Amino acid sequence: MLERKVRQADLKAVGEVRRELRQLLRRWALPDGREAADADVATLLVSELVTNALVHADGGAVVTARITDRLRVEVRDFAAGRPEPRAATADGTSGRGLMLVRSLADAWGIRSEGIGKCVWFELGGGPA
């Protein structure tokens, strides 16, 4: 399991979280020898969610990743607003993160928390 607190505006932590997730995925393989999830897709998606939390929410974030028969990654922040997938403009630098999550994850969602929200995705094992 991976659990990591990320301080507000600490964008260098995005790369650190990616490395920690890759280490977790290397330590885990399914009984048939397959990797639990595609590490490239998993690290791309966690990068998007952590960056979104750090750019659009105050108070930092908490990242957790668990592997059972699939990988589940959750990024919790402490802002009330719910993110919505939106199309990116041709010259824009934002608007692609949740579209990537929606396109590449086997399952994903947004859960309200007492303060803030949790955006999560799952990979591996087919659709939830």
Side-chain angles (χ1 to χ4, degrees):
M1 184 171 129
L2 163 67
E3 182 172 63
R4 171 78 188 266
K5 293 178 184 171
V6 181
R7 290 186 322 269
Q8 181 176 345
D10 184 7
L11 293 177
K12 72 176 177 62
V14 175
E16 294 166 0
V17 169
R18 275 194 309 262
R19 281 189 293 283
E20 290 174 28
L21 182 60
R22 277 194 183 277
Q23 290 172 352
L24 176 68
L25 291 170
R26 275 195 291 269
R27 291 192 307 261
W28 187 268
L30 296 174
D32 62 5
R34 290 181 297 125
E35 288 186 11
D38 182 334
D40 292 333
V41 172
T43 55
L44 171 65
L45 298 184
V46 78
S47 295
E48 294 295 336
L49 294 186
V50 172
T51 300
N52 282 353
L54 295 179
V55 169
H56 299 293
D58 293 330
V62 177
V63 181
T64 58
R66 292 179 182 84
I67 300 176
T68 56
D69 61 332
R70 60 184 32 232
L71 169 68
R72 182 177 178 99
V73 175
E74 298 182 350
V75 178
R76 182 171 190 265
D77 67 39
F78 305 95
R82 283 180 67 90
E84 295 295 331
R86 58 186 167 89
T89 61
D91 60 348
T93 59
S94 64
R96 293 173 180 84
L98 287 180
M99 296 297 285
L100 284 170
V101 173
R102 184 167 74 177
S103 297
L104 298 174
D106 293 321
W108 79 282
I110 303 166
R111 180 180 71 238
S112 294
E113 297 284 337
I115 298 175
K117 67 195 154 300
C118 174
V119 182
W120 60 270
F121 70 85
E122 293 183 347
L123 292 173

